[in-house]
Amino acid sequence: MEQAGRAIRLGLVGIGKIARDQHLPALAADKRFELVATASRHATVDGVIAHREIGSLIGGGHDLDAISLCTPPEGRYAQAVAAIDAGLHVMLEKPPAATISEIAALADRARAKGVTLFASWHSREAAGVAPARDWLRGKRIDAVRITWKEDIRRWHPGQDWILAPGGFGVFDPGINALSITTAILPDAVLLESAWMEVPEGRAGPLVAELRMRSGTAPVEASFDFLQTGPQTWDIEVDTDAGRLRLSMGGSILQLPGGEEQKAPDQEYPRLYARFAELVTAGESDVDIRPFQLVADAFVLAERRIGAPFAF
Ligand code: NAP
């Protein structure tokens, strides 16, 4: 377990796209962490001790303090249980688990064991999100429109797991929009109705629309995983003081009458800073509201079967 003054000795699990694009650079730049070893069935990181699976990573004599899980959500529960039971702090990629019951059980288990559990939502760390939340405070919210449209073949090439059971389909990116929406709106967001289109032979939807409500304001979300050309990750909020617009996944904020506000992408450095703070404070951060909305959509949505999909 961690000792005062030394870096948090971390094992990184699931060396795929997000681990390489974001976790490795963020860890390399943060002195509060030391990447000690990895676990991945096929992949390795140059210069870092590699294991094939989390069991041998945890049992490998590395004197670990923490595990960060970058595997797909299906299967993450067992990995998190192994880490928590070994007394390690755990950071989870989004979505935090394959089911609501799993993440609730993990939160209980971490509490009982006295370790930190951090269910991360990287989009909440986008530059515009905190100022948007602050600006909206005290304003009347009249309507919210979420447009989250990206090309699955461009951003998730060959990731068959994303359309398999537990892969979330278009809600894998869509949950990012919901993580921002639940963070910036003062009132609870509730799902009223939804439809989704699932390609023949797959489990996860490629297209979905959600009609929600926050206080008296309608909140509409349009998710599309087949968007070619310009990619759209926008949230617009109409208020009694004009329209707030978050674009590019929350990184650009436009307030009524103002210039666009943007700042360099610091989402993953901020996530690891938050994880370090939580570990130091002996606290956890597990907000399941974005996940609940997705689970509600899977319960309530009208299903349509679409054309078969191939990467
Ligand atoms: P990915 O490229 O498929 O990487 C995940 C890695 O986990 C795989 O390379 C694989 O490495 C390992 N793995 C373990 N069990 C697996 C299984 N049953 N099926 C597939 N891979 C398995 O996926 P990713 O894009 O990095 O996404 C991982 C998580 O990060 C997801 O929850 C996703 O929502 C989140 N995320 C992704 C992005 C993004 O832009 N891609 C952005 C933010 C968050 P081995 O084969 O070596 O075991």
Side-chain angles (χ1 to χ4, degrees), residues 50-64:
H51 296 267
R52 285 280 180 83
E53 45 91 29
I54 191 168
S56 65
L57 168 65
I58 290 173
H62 300 299
D63 193 17
L64 290 172

Side-chain angles (χ1 to χ4, degrees), residues 137-155:
R137 198 169 290 142
K139 305 222 169 34
R140 191 188 68 226
I141 313 290
D142 292 329
V144 182
R145 285 172 301 283
I146 302 166
T147 311
W148 224 254
K149 300 188 173 190
E150 66 177 57
D151 183 354
I152 184 175
R153 293 184 175 91
R154 178 166 161 196
W155 303 103

Side-chain angles (χ1 to χ4, degrees), residues 3-32:
Q3 295 154 17
R6 83 167 191 187
I8 296 169
R9 294 174 60 80
L10 184 125
L12 191 64
V13 180
I15 307 302
K17 188 171 189 311
I18 200 61
R20 291 192 192 283
D21 288 357
Q22 297 288 350
H23 289 254
L24 290 173
L27 285 165
D30 193 331
K31 289 192 169 51
R32 287 165 292 194

Side-chain angles (χ1 to χ4, degrees), residues 16-18 40-43 70 76 93-94 159 161 172:
K17 188 171 189 311
I18 200 61
S40 213
R41 297 164 309 175
H42 308 97
C70 308
R76 222 186 268 146
E93 252 301 346
K94 48 65 56 172
Q159 289 182 359
W161 62 261
D172 178 86

